[in-house]
Amino acid sequence: MRALVIVHDHLSTAGHVGERLAERGYELDELLVVPAERYTTPDVDVAFPAPEDYGLILTLGAPWSVARRNAWIEAELALLRSAQRAGVPVLGICFGGQMLATALGGDVEAAPRFELGWSRLTTDAPELVGPGPWFQFHGDRWLLPPGARELARTDVASQAFVCGRSWGVQFHPELTPEVLQAWFDEDGAAIAAEVGVDPERLVAELRADLPAVRARARALVDAFLDHIAASGSK
């Protein structure tokens, strides 16, 4: 089985989620959208493959907004719509979840405040998405598409939804300490200062809690594969 992993920027990886997909038998084909040299000028041209060539699509986070609606964002939205029509399951994480919601007829807007750090969720389906804590790093939030079922939320944003065989989550189950440190080193430290959190403390907490973080990510991937991708919305 092949999975298309859409990596939007050079600092990010599929992390724990990709690790569990590989353990579950998926061969991961990574597509980097914005190369390192275009990080500050990300309006690039990208040729996305046909979704029917894959058994699953994983689309990751990004430091930009879906509202940018440049050429590659429009092309990825078209890819996700095609995947939905073809019945190819999609797991969208943070920006990827916002892309999925927008592709399916929802939208994206600025959240009332930036969520950065650990949060616990109010969940309607703990067998699918547990209360966490999960790591947040986003300033936008999605508006649910028609026919979607919200699974979890915080007081700031919807945190998980399912629509057919696809699932969007707003938090970062994939996150490793190395990737989080890279985000802070690039441009996240300014955001952390603005919202009043300590980057060093957050990286240290993630590293200290790594076994539990990995276990939560594995459980989330298993729930997606076994209950959403396998049989659609439940």
Side-chain angles (χ1 to χ4, degrees):
M1 297 180 289
R2 295 171 65 210
L4 174 64
V5 181
I6 303 175
V7 182
H8 295 103
D9 67 274
H10 70 289
L11 301 173
S12 302
T13 72
H16 310 304
V17 171
E19 179 183 88
R20 186 56 175 164
L21 287 174
E23 291 173 350
R24 290 290 301 264
Y26 282 89
E27 178 184 347
L28 307 183
D29 291 352
E30 290 194 356
L31 173 64
L32 177 61
V33 175
V34 178
E37 65 271 17
R38 292 298 303 272
Y39 186 84
T40 59
T41 55
D43 297 326
V44 298
D45 292 323
V46 179
F48 289 95
E52 295 86 355
D53 293 341
Y54 295 91
L56 181 149
I57 296 172
L58 171 63
T59 177
L60 299 177
W64 309 291
S65 173
V66 177
R68 193 181 186 99
R69 299 299 284 262
N70 60 13
W72 68 257
I73 289 177
E74 292 291 357
E76 185 175 336
L77 291 173
L79 167 75
L80 299 178
R81 283 191 290 269
S82 295
Q84 184 79 353
R85 288 194 297 268
V88 178
V90 176
L91 176 56
I93 293 175
C94 196
F95 175 90
Q98 296 167 8
M99 289 283 281
L100 178 63
T102 304
L104 300 184
D107 208 344
V108 66
E109 65 179 10
R113 62 178 174 84
F114 203 102
E115 280 194 295
L116 174 53
W118 302 97
S119 68
R120 298 188 71 85
L121 313 184
T122 300
T123 175
D124 301 332
E127 74 282 6
L128 297 177
V129 53
W134 299 100
F135 199 92
Q136 309 275 354
F137 204 131
H138 68 100
D140 285 350
R141 64 183 183 182
W142 63 61
L143 303 176
L144 289 170
R149 178 166 72 98
E150 186 179 72
L151 301 178
R153 67 204 63 82
T154 63
D155 62 344
V156 173
S158 174
Q159 292 290 328
F161 74 90
V162 60
C163 191
R165 302 182 70 200
S166 293
W167 195 1
V169 298
Q170 185 57 75
F171 48 89
H172 283 280
E174 85 289 4
L175 192 59
T176 67
E178 294 76 18
V179 168
L180 181 57
Q181 185 64 63
W183 290 352
F184 283 135
D185 289 344
E186 182 65 37
D187 50 19
I191 298 172
E194 187 173 331
V195 302
V197 297
D198 179 2
E200 290 186 8
R201 177 178 60 82
L202 291 177
V203 173
E205 288 174 349
L206 180 56
R207 182 170 286 110
D209 202 33
L210 203 54
V213 169
R214 183 179 290 114
R216 287 193 291 269
R218 290 164 64 91
L220 188 84
V221 171
D222 287 347
F224 171 64
L225 294 177
D226 297 338
H227 299 287
I228 306 301
S231 56
S233 179
K234 303 188 76 170

